Amino acid sequence: VPLIMFDVFTILGVSSCIFSNDFILKAPLIPPPSNDNILKVRENNLTDTKLLGEIVLILDKVESGSYRCRIKSTTKNPMIMTLRNTINKMIDTVASNLDNLQQTLQSYTNNDYTKNIEIPKKIQKGRMRNIMEATNQLGIALTNNAKSNLQNGQKLEHDSSIMNTSMGHLSEKANEQAASLEETAAALE
């Protein structure tokens, strides 16, 4: 027990401990912390807690699909600031990619299949890249379908024109035959 007590007192800044009849005599190594230091630590902890709380709120919004929010609070703690900056950068990147996807799909809705998504080099693999590549493939497939539909429409128009001409000739021949039959019938009477 005395060794444990000694370690505890060493951590607390006590230079020596004399155990005698359950009384402890102690002499501090360093002066006790000042109220100013305690207040600074407390203020820093409150600032850190506020920023961490804001991170939780922002990530809840991101989870629900809102990418317009960013973490605005700051702190003196460099690790928490790095976390804040990394999360904001990630939200910016995902929001930009989603905007690009939305604009491309909107152009497809408007029958403009020429828009392709420029996939950033930073996105080397993963789901976002797969979605972007699939969207580009969709654009290519829609372009091919539109070309095929145009060719089929042009062929149908050409065939319709030929059929219309043929129908004209057929009608003309039918009229000639009808007139010939009338003449034959008149000659027979």
Side-chain angles (χ1 to χ4, degrees), residues 58-70 91 95:
I58 295 299
L59 291 178
D60 281 345
K61 289 181 181 181
V62 168
E63 181 184 22
S64 68
S66 175
Y67 289 88
R68 298 196 188 282
C69 48
R70 299 296 180 273
I91 294 171

Side-chain angles (χ1 to χ4, degrees), residues 2-17:
L3 287 176
I4 294 173
M5 291 299 287
F6 180 75
D7 288 341
V8 169
F9 286 114
T10 302
I11 292 169
L12 293 175
V14 176
S15 63
S16 63
C17 299

Side-chain angles (χ1 to χ4, degrees), residues 59-148:
L59 291 178
D60 281 345
K61 289 181 181 181
V62 168
E63 181 184 22
S64 68
S66 175
Y67 289 88
R68 298 196 188 282
C69 48
R70 299 296 180 273
I71 304 163
K72 294 184 173 67
S73 297
T74 60
T75 183
K76 293 179 182 175
N77 185 324
M79 293 299 288
I80 295 176
M81 282 302 292
T82 299
L83 176 64
R84 169 198 180 259
N85 295 337
T86 301
I87 290 171
N88 280 341
K89 189 174 179 181
M90 178 193 68
I91 294 171
D92 289 339
T93 302
V94 172
S96 174
N97 291 336
L98 289 174
D99 287 343
N100 199 356
L101 280 165
Q102 182 180 8
Q103 290 170 6
T104 301
L105 292 173
Q106 186 61 46
S107 71
Y108 293 173
T109 301
N110 297 329
N111 296 321
D112 176 11
Y113 311 119
T114 59
K115 184 162 175 49
N116 258 344
I117 297 175
E118 294 293 326
I119 301 173
K121 290 181 182 178
K122 195 170 192 175
I123 302 176
Q124 296 178 3
K125 58 184 174 182
R127 195 167 191 187
M128 184 63 75
R129 183 174 185 89
N130 293 343
I131 291 170
M132 292 176 152
E133 287 173 345
T135 302
N136 286 340
Q137 291 299 318
L138 175 64
I140 291 168
L142 290 171
T143 298
N144 291 337
N145 283 343
K147 285 179 185 177
S148 178

